[in-house]
Every structure is written in structure tokens, then in C-alpha cells.
Amino acid sequence: MSTRRDFLKTTLGTSSLLAVGGVVPEFLASTARAAEKEDKKKDTVLVVIELTGGNDGLNTVAPYGDDLYHKARPTLAFGKKEVQKLDDYHGLHPRMNELKRLYDEKRLAVIQGVGYPNPDRSHFESMDIWQLADPKRGHTSGWLARSIPGMSIKDAGVPGMYLGNERLPVAMQGADGGVISLADRASFKLQLTGNQANRKALIEDLNGEKDTGKADLASFVRKRQLQTYTSLKKIDDALREAGGSGQGRTNEFVGGRVVQRDPDDLNTLGGKLGLVGRLIQKGLGTRLYYVQLGGFDTHSGQAEMHGKLLSELSSAIGNFFNGLQAEHSERVAVMTYSEFGRRVKENGSRGTDHGSGSCMFLAGSQVVGGLVGKHPSLSDLTDGDIKYHTDFRRVYATLLDDWLEVDSRGVLDDKFEKLPLIDRKKKAPAGSGPSKSGNALPPGAVPDDAPLPGAGAPPVKEDVPPLEKM
């Protein structure tokens, strides 16, 4: 026969509170809200953006000052009047206005020549290598998942969160401590109903336990339940404010037709990052967020497609930081990566094929902005690919040690030389944070729907390149 304590374990256990769509009594909600304190030092947060498909690093950070670049890409290369100039050699893609602004504010690090030994040009194999942080693919859990046990989670919330419709990324699989997947508003709903009287009586009974040892354990359990509920309530509140709220919705004339844009659409990168920003500012306590932007496998007609993707990436990151108050902006870093880059030479379909080394971005108020490492030589190639000079695990090690304060050697199974990416003494620039005036384009910036070199041009008929393994 089950006891009241057995029933408490099954009805108010961690699993029921963590379950999506769980039933939680309103009295517990009010108790949790009253119990929460906001006087804790806030932990740092890492937001990872996966650029799925193999981003063309050569046109993301274009070596416009190199004649070999223009020779290799007669229809795709950008000239000095088109790029967002970083110096006399490097320039960001013309549509990356917001990232250029962050670069000028010393809040964007452009990490060049990133890769790993013996690169694999298969999407699946290379993505696994990046997400496992293991070129030999010996690990069974992802690098972010392996970081969670050593991570401080002060608010006892969900350590990691994936926002997307795909399966949980390998990087976050195998976490000891919990990672939640959030696809959309409909997949996550809290119902503040249920057998409130019975549950309240059970908690009061547990609160009144006279046995000291048991009371201490009960106190711990109650605290964890309240903290868990509070975390879930914050997620629910943030979802109510986003994902089709209609606020900020605009109509834009693009390609001869009117397109309605909703900045809170959770199917877009901007909408996902907007939700992440709300959760951070509500004090959820989650330290790892993972989102994706797909479509970077640009074998043909690259100019227009790649431009739209990089515009979406740039705008989403810029708006994300614009929406954060300075106190939160200073504890958030955003990292981008892709499974590989593209070949130096464009192909006969005005696109590029699978390559190796590429670039990464790291954005944040405490990021040391600027170019990190030299652009790989275009005259010294390996099988048509640029040679990497920075192992991506050096970036991971830097973020683990200097940002998340987790021992990188324990996560990566080796010691990697860190990069000068983080300065914890930096402050957010004056005027950063939410603005009523919106985001005007800087002088000379290219609007999102402006044509790019090669966009709309008929493909050149040449020999079909050999098939690449997937």
C-alpha cells in the first residue's frame, strides 16, 4: 500500500515537474515566485549558432585585396567597394551590416583559418567531429554535454537548451544534468491546474516533518522542486511573449511581392535568439543555448542564397544584443561555426563545393574584438582547399576555461593553447541595449534585398564536378 510520501514522490518528483506539459498547482507557482531571490551573481551564457551545410568562409570574410581571390571566383568575388571593410585586405560580406557594427564596437572577434587535422568533406562526419570535439570520433557524448557536470548552475534550472525542430544536436547529447529541446510554443505548455488540495496537504505534511535528518532532505527536495518550477514558469512566460505575438510585424516589398516579417517567429533565427534573450533577462539560469541556421550547402547559385543567409545571421545577432540590457549583454557570448568551408575556386554552376578550413565568429561585450589569426594563403592550397592554422578546439578550450569556467582538459581530453578572445573586465558600450529608434543601416550599407554579383545570372555550362559523399 502506497503512503502519502510515496504519492508525493510520484506526483511532485523531478520528472513530473521537468516534463513538458506537466500539471503544476498554482499554489506552488506563487510559493516558487516568492522564494526566488535575485541577489546572486549572474553566470555567463554561451549561445552557439550552427551554420548547417558548410558555410563559405571565403565570401563571409572576403580577402578582397588578394588578386588570387578574384581570379578563383570571377562571378562570386566581392570588390573593395562592395565589402564591409575591416582593413585593406579583409572585408565582411556586403549584407553583414550588424556584425560590422559589432566589429567596429570591438565586440566581434573574427577567427580565421579554423579547422582540424585530416579534414573530412562529408557533412555528417565533419559535423560529428565538430560537435564531439574529437577528430577521431571516439567520444559518445557532445562537447557541450561534457561541460555541464563541471558547470556552475546557480539557479538550478535547465543547464542547456536546444531551440529547433531537428533531433538534439550531438554537441548536447549525453548531458549529465539535463538538456531541454524546445521546438515551438505548442510543444511546451504548463497547466496550472490539478489536484491542488491534496498536493498542498502533502507538501505541508513534509514541511512539518519532525525528524531532523528527514526534514533536511525534505527541505532540499522542496527547494529543488520550487526552483525547477520557477524555471519552467519563466520559459512559459517567455513563450507567451514571443512566437507570433504580432508585435513588430512588418510588410516588406521583396522580389516584386509583399512579404510579411514577424521578428518573433520561432521558425527563424531572429525569433529563436529573441526568445533566448527573453529567457536570459528573466533569469532562467540556463548557460548553454544552441540554435541552427541551415541552407549553407551552396553548390549552385550561391550569391543570392548565401547573401540572404548571412543577412539573416547578421541581423539576428545584432538584434539579439540590441535587445539585451547592458548588465545581461556583458555576460553573454555568441559563437558561430560550420562543419567545413568551401573550395577556393567557384564551380561551373556559380557555386562552391565542399572544402575544409573556414572562419568562426565570437560576439559579445566581453569579447576581444578584431581579427584573430591571418587569412590562410590562397597560393598554398591542399587539393584546392585552404590550409587551416587554428584548431577549432583552441576556440572551445578558450570558451570553456575563460568564459564558462569549466576545465577544458577534462572536456577535450587534452590541453589546447588558448586564444586571446575574452576580457572579463570589459563593459558593454554606452548606449547598448534596447532602443526605441530601431536599427538604421549605417552609411553605405547594402539593404537585404539588394542584388549581389552573379545573382540571377544564368549558370555557365561546364563539366559537372564529381559527386561528393554526403
Side-chain angles (χ1 to χ4, degrees):
M1 181 175 179
S2 62
T3 65
R4 287 160 62 98
R5 192 172 305 281
D6 293 331
F7 181 68
L8 176 62
K9 290 180 180 178
T10 58
T11 56
L12 285 179
T14 303
S15 59
S16 66
L17 280 178
L18 282 175
V20 172
V23 178
V24 183
E26 177 59 33
F27 85 91
L28 185 54
S30 59
T31 305
R33 287 190 289 266
E36 186 181 43
K37 296 181 180 180
E38 296 295 337
D39 58 349
K40 306 170 186 175
K41 178 184 176 182
K42 297 300 181 181
D43 286 319
T44 53
V45 175
L46 176 63
V47 181
V48 177
I49 303 177
E50 172 193 311
L51 307 181
T52 315
N55 179 43
D56 180 21
L58 207 57
N59 267 24
T60 302
V61 183
Y64 74 92
D66 194 324
D67 291 338
L68 292 176
Y69 166 66
H70 296 278
K71 183 178 179 180
R73 299 188 168 197
T75 70
L76 295 178
F78 296 118
K80 63 180 180 181
K81 293 183 179 180
E82 296 169 307
V83 298
Q84 305 268 3
K85 286 186 179 180
L86 303 181
D87 56 25
D88 292 336
Y89 183 88
H90 307 85
L92 292 180
H93 190 284
R95 293 189 182 178
M96 304 186 83
N97 306 311
E98 284 296 299
L99 286 189
K100 177 57 163 59
R101 176 180 63 82
L102 291 176
Y103 183 89
D104 291 341
E105 294 174 353
K106 308 297 185 186
R107 292 199 286 167
L108 178 71
V110 180
I111 311 165
Q112 305 191 91
V114 185
Y116 58 87
N118 303 313
D120 196 310
R121 294 192 182 91
S122 163
H123 289 291
F124 307 111
E125 299 295 336
S126 191
M127 186 63 80
D128 280 352
I129 288 171
W130 277 81
Q131 295 198 32
L132 293 171
D134 181 7
K136 296 181 180 179
R137 296 187 289 282
H139 278 284
T140 57
S141 59
W143 77 280
L144 292 174
R146 298 198 301 272
S147 73
I148 288 177
M151 194 180 297
S152 168
I153 310 291
K154 294 181 180 178
D155 294 304
V158 181
M161 183 181 295
Y162 164 60
L163 284 76
N165 296 307
E166 305 297 328
R167 68 168 187 160
L168 186 67
V170 171
M172 303 192 83
Q173 290 182 16
D176 181 12
V179 172
I180 190 172
S181 293
L182 186 60
D184 51 40
R185 288 166 55 85
S187 68
F188 189 100
K189 184 182 295 184
L190 288 176
Q191 300 174 15
L192 301 180
T193 59
N195 196 346
Q196 179 172 323
N198 288 345
R199 294 187 182 192
K200 185 174 182 178
L202 289 173
I203 287 185
E204 289 176 347
D205 179 51
L206 189 57
N207 285 343
E209 180 65 60
K210 295 181 179 180
D211 184 272
T212 304
K214 293 183 179 179
D216 288 342
L217 177 59
S219 176
F220 171 78
V221 171
R222 287 197 307 275
K223 182 178 179 181
R224 294 290 295 184
Q225 300 291 359
L226 297 182
Q227 290 172 325
T228 300
Y229 174 77
T230 301
S231 297
L232 295 176
K233 186 66 171 67
K234 287 174 180 177
I235 297 173
D236 190 49
D237 289 343
L239 282 168
R240 293 177 189 275
E241 299 170 6
S245 67
Q247 298 180 0
R249 185 175 293 167
T250 60
N251 292 323
E252 299 180 17
F253 191 72
V254 179
R257 62 191 181 92
V258 176
V259 177
Q260 190 176 75
R261 299 189 187 278
D262 184 351
D264 287 335
D265 185 352
L266 295 182
N267 291 315
T268 67
L269 180 62
K272 292 173 184 175
L273 290 184
L275 176 58
V276 170
R278 288 182 173 92
L279 293 172
I280 291 172
Q281 297 193 122
K282 287 180 180 295
L284 178 62
T286 297
R287 300 198 59 193
L288 299 172
Y289 292 93
Y290 195 106
V291 297
Q292 296 157 318
L293 178 61
F296 285 89
D297 199 16
T298 51
H299 286 283
S300 63
Q302 174 175 308
E304 183 175 3
M305 183 189 308
H306 196 230
K308 288 181 179 179
L309 289 170
L310 292 184
S311 173
E312 182 176 359
L313 174 68
S314 176
S315 297
I317 294 176
N319 291 335
F320 171 69
F321 281 106
N322 288 344
L324 291 176
Q325 298 288 349
E327 62 180 296
H328 297 292
S329 177
E330 290 173 1
R331 66 188 188 93
V332 178
V334 176
M335 183 196 85
T336 73
Y337 83 97
S338 192
E339 66 264 41
F340 46 61
R342 317 296 292 188
R343 295 288 183 97
V344 173
K345 289 187 64 175
E346 66 177 71
N347 61 30
S349 299
R350 296 184 186 271
T352 52
D353 299 319
H354 299 183
S356 57
S358 191
C359 61
M360 298 176 68
F361 292 125
L362 184 65
S365 294
Q366 293 194 336
V367 168
V368 178
L371 292 167
V372 181
K374 294 182 178 180
H375 196 285
S377 170
L378 298 185
S379 61
D380 184 17
L381 307 178
T382 300
D383 297 329
D385 288 335
I386 60 173
K387 294 180 179 180
Y388 87 98
H389 54 63
T390 298
D391 193 304
F392 71 87
R393 288 168 293 181
R394 293 182 62 191
V395 180
Y396 290 3
T398 304
L399 292 174
L400 288 167
D401 289 331
D402 296 348
W403 189 248
L404 297 173
E405 297 182 340
V406 175
D407 179 26
S408 64
R409 176 170 259 174
V411 174
L412 304 176
D413 294 336
D414 204 348
K415 183 175 179 61
F416 291 90
E417 182 182 1
K418 293 188 292 187
L419 296 166
L421 298 174
I422 302 296
D423 181 358
R424 297 298 297 273
K425 296 181 180 180
K426 282 184 64 179
K427 298 294 183 182
S432 62
S435 171
K436 297 180 180 180
S437 60
N439 301 320
L441 293 178
V446 180
D448 289 352
D449 56 351
L452 292 172
V460 177
K461 293 184 178 180
E462 295 183 6
D463 293 335
V464 178
L467 292 176
E468 301 176 359
K469 62 176 179 177
M470 296 301 290

